[in-house]
Each structure stands twice: as structure tokens, then as C-alpha cells.
Amino acid sequence: QVQLVESGGGLVQAGGSLRLSCVASGRIISIDRMGWYRQVPGQQRELVAVVTSIGDINYADSVKGRFTISRDNAKNTVYLQMNTLKPEDTAIYYCNAVLRNTYLSGPTDYWGQGTQVTVSS
């Protein structure tokens, strides 16, 4: 099956930077898009950034100009460079991939286990 494994979360002071990585592994035929979402306990999961297989990118307004998403298609890996972090960026960050792992079915959502990002003031 397919696994998404995230790394790079942690504790950082406001104004600092972190870089998240997510590797997709397993039976993968193609990946339509990969991205990052975040969730604060008691709140809905929200989009942070997403990149398609052809390089189209979308960011949440709250992270534009501070976060950069990138993707290595050959390695099935997506990165999120987070700069000028703010306390309100504190959340669990989840990697998401929409991909095909059979030739008979359509694209399917897969999620990582999440990585905690904590920004102290």
C-alpha cells in the first residue's frame, strides 16, 4: 500500500524557520498533487499549500510570502519551507497526496500521520 511519512516539525521561536518533508512510498503509478494541511485541536483542517504534478501552486492567504512549497517528482517528495513563523502557525501539519495506485481506479487521497509545529512567542 501507500505510505506518506513526514519529518521536520518541532519547536521554534517566532520569526524562525522550519522545513517539512514528506515522502510517498509504496505502489504508486502517478501523483496528481501533493500538499500540506494543518489542524489545531478543535478546529477544521485547513489547506496550507498544494502543488500539482505540472507545478501549479496554491497557498493559503495566511502563509503567502512566508511559506514555499516545492516538489521532487522523481523522489515522490514534497517540501514546505516555512519562514517568519508566527505563533498562529502552531498546529499539526499533515502531508496529503492525491495519487493513483492502480490502473483501474481513479485518484485517491492519502494522508500522513502529521507532524507537530509549535511556534513560541
Side-chain angles (χ1 to χ4, degrees):
Q1 287 298 330
V2 174
Q3 277 192 318
L4 302 183
V5 179
E6 302 122 331
S7 61
L11 173 64
V12 65
Q13 287 189 331
S17 298
L18 284 174
R19 188 188 194 215
L20 305 182
S21 300
C22 171
V23 180
S25 63
R27 177 177 169 79
I28 297 171
I29 295 171
S30 65
I31 301 178
D32 291 359
R33 68 176 188 266
M34 297 186 78
W36 294 93
Y37 291 71
R38 66 188 181 187
Q39 188 170 22
V40 175
Q43 298 184 19
Q44 285 192 332
R45 191 172 296 188
E46 64 175 7
L47 170 73
V48 176
V50 64
V51 56
T52 70
S53 59
I54 59 172
D56 292 333
I57 291 174
N58 188 35
Y59 292 103
D61 288 342
S62 60
V63 307
K64 284 180 181 176
R66 300 187 298 121
F67 291 10
T68 302
I69 190 170
S70 60
R71 178 174 167 178
D72 186 333
N73 290 334
K75 297 181 179 178
N76 290 338
T77 300
V78 65
Y79 307 96
L80 185 69
Q81 178 65 44
M82 304 185 292
N83 297 329
T84 319
L85 282 159
K86 304 176 181 180
E88 51 263 44
D89 293 318
T90 296
I92 300 173
Y93 283 69
Y94 295 91
C95 177
N96 170 261
V98 178
L99 59 87
R100 301 169 192 265
N101 61 353
T102 75
Y103 289 101
L104 299 178
S105 61
T108 304
D109 260 320
Y110 287 88
W111 293 90
Q113 78 285 356
T115 185
Q116 178 71 46
V117 171
T118 303
V119 184
S120 63
S121 57

